[in-house]
Structure formats: C-alpha cells, structure tokens
Amino acid sequence: MNKQGKVLLSSMALMLTITACSDSSSKQTVKEVPSTSTPKPAAAGSKASDVPLTVKILKGSSNINLQAPLFDYIFEKTNVKIQLELVTTNFEQKAQTIIATNSLPDIMEVAYGKQMYVDGAKNGLFLPISDYMSDAPNLAKIMKENKEIAKNNIDGKIYSFPKLGAWKLQLAQGAMIRYDLLEELGLEAPKTFDDLYKVLKKFKEKYPNSIPYTGRENAFNLLKPLAFAMGSGNRIYYDPNIEGGKYVYGQAHPEFKPVLEFMSKLFKEKLLDPDYAVNTADAMKEKLASGRSLFYYDNNSFGVNFNEALKPINPKARFELLPLMKNDRGQTRGWMYKKDWMHNIVISSKTKNPHELVRFLDWFYGEEGTRATAYGVEGVNYKMENGKPVILDSVLQEYAQMKDPFRNMQTDLATGFEQLALNVDEHPMVETSAPELVKWKDMITTEKGYVYEVVAPPFTNDELSRLKTLQSKVDTLVDQEMDKFIIGVRPVSDFDKFSQQLIDSGALEIEKIYNEANQRYLKQ
C-alpha cells in the first residue's frame, strides 16, 4: 500500500453534525432520514440506514489510513459514510472542552474511567443507549454474557458503546529481563524478589555503565505492577487474596512498606534508573532497545521490538518474560490487562437519527463487523480457509520487514483497537507477531497466577461526589510522596506516619465506598 496515499485529518477540522449528504460516486441526491419517537429494530439483513448518511466521528489517533478499503466496505454494509476527525495530541483535553461546551460531533470517543463521561451522561449530552436496545441486538447479546459491561452504567442506564475484547492475545505488565545475560553470567532466573535484587546487582557489577532496571513517566507506572506482585497494590485496587476479594488502598496498609524498601534499596545502589520519574515512554524504550537497560516491569509486548532492535548490536541478546516471582507472603501473582478496555463510544443526544446511529455502531459487534475491523476486506486483505479468516500472503509480506508489522498493518488497513474496531479480535496479531509473543501468551494465565485487572463498580451520585473529594486529597498525597520515598529524600522509616496521614485523609473511607458499591453490584 502506498504510504503517501494516507490522508490525515487535522484536529482543527470543522465540526459537523449528521446531515443528509450526496454520494459523490453516484451523484445521487439523498434525503435526510427522519427521526422517529419510537425505537424500531432493523429488519434482519437490513442496513443501519435506509438511505446514505455521513457521520462525523471524533477520535484520538496519531495515524489512520483514510483511503483503506474498509471505509468503503463499512459504507456498503451499513449505508453510513464515516468522516473522521483525528486528534493527534491532547485528545483528552479536547474531549473535555467539547463536553464542557456541549459541542459534540455525532459520535466521539471518551476514555474509560474519566469523570467527563459521567458528567456528559448526567447532563444529558449523550444518547441513552438503553432506550434504543432494540436497535442493538449484537451488543445486547454480548451484555447477557459479559456482566462487567454494566459497571459502566450511569444511574442504571447505558450511555455508550464500550470497546470490548472479542479475543485477545493476552498481554500483561510482566517482569522482562535480558535472559541472554543470565545465561552468560551463569545465573538462574529469579524466583523471588530477593533473587531479582541479587541478579540486578550482578548485572551492575558486570556492566557498571548499565541501568539494570528502568521504568517510565512516574512512580505510579513503576509501582502498579510491582506492588501487586509483591503482595500489596498501588492506590485503590482490588485484591482477590483479601477476604475472598476486596478493594484496598495499598499505601494505607503495612503490606506496602516492603515495596518501598525494595525500590529504595534499588535506587540507592544505582540499580534503578535515576531518571525513572521523568522518563517518557520513548526514553524508556530507547534505553532498553539500545542495551543500556536490562530489566523492566511493564507491557511484555514491548520486548518483541527490543529484541529486534538489539540484534544488530548483539545477535544473542533477547528479553524474555520471567515466570511470576514469589513474594514474602508466599504468593505468586501479577496483573494481566483486562479482557475489555471499556472505552466509551458515545452518540450526541442532539442527533436527529438516533436509531440509525445505534444500528450503525451495533454492526461493529456482529460477526461481520468484528471480522472486518480485525482483518479488513475479504479478497483484498484476507481470505477464508476452512471457515476462518487468514491474512493474505501478499499483505503479510508487505509488513514482514517492518519494525512493528502488526501495528503498521493495522494502521494501513484501519483495523484493530487503535483504529475502528469496537469488538476487538486480535487473532491477526498471532499471524504477524514474533513467536515469542505467542509463547509469552501461554505464560500469562490465571493458572500461572495472573489476575485480570478489575473494572471499578458503578457508584451513586453521592458516592461519586464523595470519592472525588477524598481522592483529590489522598491520591495527591501519594503522588507527592512516593518518589520521595524511592529516591531517599524521605526515609522509608516514615512510612507508618505517612500511612496514618492517608487514613486520616480518608483512605479507608475510599475503601468503604468501593466495597459497598461492589457488593451492591454483585447482588444485582
């Protein structure tokens, strides 16, 4: 595919509401679909709209091929023409402004867990999908099987089409290490966190200019996977090992102290990157891809690209996913990314064609829409073999030599999570990814000790208001002090005092609200 043929729409593109349009290929004059007051389900096999419509969608994305055949295919199947406005930077800020000023396009993306989604729903900016479920049979079917979706309800109603995982090549925030160096130095793979400390110390002794352990952006990203693996958790989190499953504010409990002791020791002995708190994601990746850093606890899929980048430097160099290490409490556990992303695709409540837009988005959850947004167009991008889609050899060959074949292919085909899919099928990743990623997938299972990240329960208005007040105080305290403990500005011996400060500021009340909301949800 000619990369120069890509067209990117600027975030300054003019906002448009859904309008009757002229199909430029046929020069046919089209009348606007009249809105109706009663939801009418589409007949089996019918299109989302009886006549062609153009719909404006606001989406955060750095790149998407607007000339991909998939757009024409979607129009052919739904009678809806997509007009994308891509926001390449500061998408969340732009989305907040749009919601605050009630200037929504027809459809827009709102990230999961953001207060602006709750505010937009409560203020009547989003179409209540619950009132149009007869137009959404595919989503309705999935919701019967996937009860987690209901956690995204606001006041008992659905206001969005959630981004779900039809099938995932399971990834995790895992412990990734330069395994070739373990072999070179005759070291066993660490089985405990004390073993890990000793291995990192050996790495530093052998390679004094190296940065044994690196991370990105701040203590939050560093601590989220590590704290859970070590038997605690960062901020408010769900712990399946406490009382059969309970929400806990990690830093408010003594189990968090060993996490800080461990990280503080690594920093003091120059085993932890001195710039971990200010590293961008790119800076972290550069250190790992160049051989300067030798261990990270983050998205395991990054390791594929690091291995490829390291080959010219050292053909034997390779990152491998470590089996989960046992913590001081005798547990082996780790987070794996949740099955569903739950990002929200919302429809403006001002739309004159709610039934058509609901049917349009519901199409993406059906077999036809799920397959198309995973593989592209049959005969152009994939073929069917024994009843299953298979990427064409010509397509695979086009991306085989690229640094990241899967994501480059998705960008060009406009498929997958980052592009147009709502019910994401990651089977194409298996066909385009390095074999180690498939191998690691088999290590990331519940049987091995991994736990799915949990979607927060739905809260009442009063609970949301109280949580906003409490977390603005408690989370801010945590964010201010974690780096101080790690880099030694504040001694870890102060942790008990700090933990009590969090309790006095409302950490246990946060736990109470979360657990009461979760129990209420479980009884539904």
Side-chain angles (χ1 to χ4, degrees):
M1 181 173 295
N2 184 351
K3 300 293 177 59
Q4 292 179 346
K6 293 181 183 179
V7 180
L8 300 182
L9 291 185
S10 163
S11 63
M12 297 302 291
L14 179 64
M15 286 284 184
L16 298 175
T17 55
I18 188 165
T19 60
C21 68
S22 175
D23 182 357
S24 60
S25 62
S26 63
K27 304 301 181 182
Q28 176 186 9
T29 301
V30 180
K31 295 182 179 179
E32 183 177 353
V33 176
S35 63
T36 55
S37 58
T38 305
K40 294 180 180 179
S46 66
K47 298 183 178 182
S49 176
D50 292 336
V51 297
L53 295 174
T54 294
V55 60
K56 186 63 174 276
I57 301 177
L58 181 71
K59 179 176 174 56
S61 180
S62 59
N63 200 0
I64 186 169
N65 178 20
L66 300 178
Q67 295 181 347
L70 180 57
F71 287 94
D72 289 336
Y73 179 82
I74 291 172
F75 179 69
E76 174 190 334
K77 295 297 180 179
T78 65
N79 228 4
V80 176
K81 187 178 182 67
I82 296 174
Q83 186 175 357
L84 277 179
E85 178 184 352
L86 302 180
V87 181
T88 59
T89 58
N90 299 321
F91 176 73
E92 184 176 333
Q93 181 179 348
K94 184 175 180 74
Q96 286 177 329
T97 300
I98 287 170
I99 290 172
T101 57
N102 191 10
S103 54
L104 277 69
D106 311 317
I107 295 171
M108 70 178 286
E109 218 174 47
V110 182
Y112 166 74
K114 301 299 181 182
Q115 183 63 37
M116 59 179 160
Y117 170 67
V118 177
D119 293 342
K122 288 182 176 294
N123 292 328
L125 275 63
F126 307 149
L127 189 75
I129 309 302
S130 299
D131 295 348
Y132 297 85
M133 288 308 292
S134 57
D135 289 313
N138 293 315
L139 179 60
K141 180 180 178 182
I142 293 172
M143 288 182 65
K144 286 182 180 179
E145 302 167 357
N146 187 346
K147 303 300 182 184
E148 287 282 285
I149 297 173
K151 288 184 176 180
N152 219 17
N153 289 2
I154 306 294
D155 297 335
K157 284 197 170 188
I158 306 164
Y159 284 91
S160 75
F161 283 86
K163 185 155 286 199
L164 305 177
W167 186 88
K168 294 182 74 172
L169 197 157
Q170 189 62 57
L171 305 177
Q173 290 182 301
M176 300 291 294
I177 197 165
R178 278 286 300 276
Y179 212 85
D180 61 297
L181 299 183
L182 291 178
E183 295 170 337
E184 179 184 315
L185 300 177
L187 302 173
E188 290 188 4
K191 295 181 174 61
T192 68
F193 287 92
D194 187 52
D195 289 345
L196 176 62
Y197 162 72
K198 292 175 182 177
V199 165
L200 296 176
K201 198 167 179 63
K202 289 287 187 182
F203 281 176
K204 188 67 175 178
E205 290 171 359
K206 180 67 176 179
Y207 309 103
N209 294 325
S210 70
I211 304 170
Y213 184 170
T214 192
R216 55 173 167 148
E217 292 165 347
N218 51 43
F220 179 85
N221 285 310
L222 195 71
L223 292 172
K224 182 181 177 183
L226 187 73
F228 184 75
M230 292 188 72
S232 181
N234 191 47
R235 293 192 188 175
I236 188 73
Y237 76 103
Y238 184 81
D239 198 314
N241 300 120
I242 297 178
E243 299 176 16
K246 184 178 180 181
Y247 280 97
V248 178
Y249 202 100
Q251 283 89 341
H253 296 273
E255 289 79 11
F256 193 87
K257 190 173 184 179
V259 180
L260 286 180
E261 290 173 336
F262 181 74
M263 297 308 293
S264 176
K265 180 167 65 172
L266 295 187
F267 189 90
K268 182 179 180 181
E269 298 186 24
K270 301 186 183 333
L271 306 180
L272 176 64
D273 190 342
D275 296 324
Y276 80 86
V278 295
N279 275 345
T280 62
D282 287 342
M284 179 196 78
K285 291 176 181 179
E286 186 278 328
K287 292 174 182 179
L288 291 159
S290 66
R292 293 173 61 205
S293 289
L294 312 172
F295 175 86
Y296 72 96
Y297 216 129
D298 205 322
N299 190 321
N300 68 290
S301 72
F302 295 163
V304 172
N305 292 337
F306 301 152
N307 287 347
E308 192 64 30
L310 286 165
K311 281 181 182 178
I313 304 170
N314 179 356
K316 294 182 179 180
R318 76 184 194 278
F319 278 93
E320 291 283 1
L321 175 66
L322 289 174
L324 289 170
M325 293 173 280
K326 185 178 291 186
N327 62 39
D328 291 343
R329 305 175 72 184
Q331 304 163 331
T332 50
R333 67 184 201 171
W335 287 125
M336 55 182 170
Y337 293 117
K338 53 183 177 284
K339 178 181 179 295
D340 303 305
W341 293 270
M342 299 294 281
H343 296 317
N344 304 285
I345 313 301
V346 299
I347 299 173
S348 170
S349 60
K350 294 179 180 179
T351 180
K352 296 179 181 178
N353 300 286
H355 305 294
E356 287 75 22
L357 266 61
V358 169
R359 288 196 290 265
F360 167 64
L361 290 178
D362 186 66
W363 176 84
F364 288 81
Y365 295 93
E367 181 179 352
E368 191 174 63
T370 298
R371 181 186 300 159
T373 53
Y375 287 89
V377 180
E378 185 176 359
V380 178
N381 309 123
Y382 75 94
K383 61 184 177 180
M384 296 297 293
E385 284 187 358
N386 301 318
K388 295 182 178 180
V390 177
I391 300 170
L392 293 178
D393 288 341
S394 59
V395 175
L396 291 174
Q397 291 169 8
E398 181 177 353
Y399 300 96
Q401 302 306 316
M402 291 187 178
K403 184 178 179 181
D404 191 340
F406 175 63
R407 288 178 177 82
N408 276 288
M409 183 185 73
Q410 284 195 316
T411 295
D412 283 353
L413 272 56
T415 56
F417 168 74
E418 295 284 352
Q419 317 302 332
L420 298 180
L422 296 186
N423 196 32
V424 182
D425 179 355
E426 292 186 338
H427 277 104
M429 189 185 292
V430 177
E431 294 188 59
T432 57
S433 295
E436 58 259 46
L437 195 58
V438 179
K439 178 181 71 174
W440 297 336
K441 172 187 75 71
D442 294 333
M443 298 172 64
I444 304 170
T445 65
T446 54
E447 290 77 17
K448 303 289 186 181
Y450 278 95
V451 179
Y452 278 114
E453 291 182 278
V454 177
V455 177
F459 300 104
T460 65
N461 289 343
D462 289 344
E463 288 170 339
L464 284 170
S465 177
R466 185 60 180 155
L467 281 173
K468 186 175 182 179
T469 299
L470 291 169
Q471 290 183 294
S472 67
K473 290 190 288 187
V474 180
D475 289 353
T476 299
L477 280 171
V478 167
D479 292 342
Q480 288 173 345
E481 301 301 313
M482 286 301 96
D483 289 321
K484 294 179 184 178
F485 281 117
I486 292 171
I487 68 176
V489 171
R490 185 171 184 179
V492 178
S493 58
D494 267 3
F495 176 77
D496 293 344
K497 183 193 303 182
F498 171 67
S499 183
Q500 186 59 51
Q501 185 182 5
L502 297 181
I503 292 171
D504 294 341
S505 299
L508 300 188
E509 187 179 350
I510 293 173
E511 291 183 1
K512 182 173 182 290
I513 293 172
Y514 265 78
N515 285 308
E516 288 179 352
N518 194 48
Q519 287 301 312
R520 189 170 61 243
Y521 163 76
L522 292 173
K523 291 177 181 178
Q524 291 179 355

